[in-house]
Amino acid sequence: GGVRVQPPKPPAPSASSAAARPGPRAGASSGGAAPSSVRSSGGGARVDAPVVFGQHRSLALPACPLEPERDEWLCDPDAGDLGSEVLYAHRLLRAAGLDLLDCLVRNPVDHPRHLRRFRQLAGNSAALLHRLRRREAEALVLHQLRSSLEDKRALSAKLRAR
């Protein structure tokens, strides 16, 4: 036998922070480090969210901080082919940049309207690029998992043939 080391216990929450934070309340047994499942009350959708050391954990990626409001999108962020949307947003951004420069040369007083449009398009482009990166990361993980699965199946077949 060996020496068993217990995982560290989370710090005991104060009464004021326990009342403000969702999850197990003071006096409720959380079972140490073992994750428990609770119902999340966010956004109307009920999803099981594991709680580890009193913190909600999720595999879902957090929302992009650059994500504009739904009515501020000037392209379709949910399109199947985001490449064409990025190209469209880039053309709009380039045209808005030229319009802003033209405005600054001809009528500098009118620049806030052009600058607002340019910022909106720049934000749309940045958010689209983040969505593309997320999709690319998901595709890469799926590719690696499929490759690993194929390797394991080949090894399993090889070992069974022995």
Side-chain angles (χ1 to χ4, degrees), residues 38-144:
V38 297
R39 291 285 185 183
S40 174
S41 61
R46 296 176 58 120
V47 179
D48 284 327
V51 177
V52 180
F53 294 124
Q55 299 284 327
H56 291 282
R57 302 291 182 197
S58 173
L59 294 177
L61 294 171
C64 175
L66 302 173
E67 196 80 15
E69 296 295 324
R70 194 74 189 152
D71 60 338
E72 292 179 9
W73 281 103
L74 300 175
C75 55
D76 183 11
D78 300 321
D81 179 19
L82 284 182
S84 61
E85 296 298 319
V86 168
L87 292 175
Y88 174 69
H90 182 261
R91 281 193 293 273
L92 289 176
L93 181 63
R94 191 173 53 200
L98 292 174
D99 287 346
L100 177 60
L101 286 174
D102 187 54
C103 168
L104 289 172
V105 169
R106 295 179 190 222
N107 187 10
V109 178
D110 195 31
H111 81 279
R113 180 174 56 91
H114 293 279
L115 188 59
R116 192 169 35 254
R117 170 93 170 155
F118 185 82
R119 284 184 179 152
Q120 181 182 21
L121 286 164
N124 277 208
S125 297
L128 278 175
L129 289 174
H130 276 269
R131 284 187 178 213
L132 279 170
R133 285 186 195 115
R134 181 178 294 172
R135 284 187 186 182
E136 181 182 29
E138 289 172 358
L140 181 60
V141 167
L142 284 175
H143 174 72
Q144 290 172 343

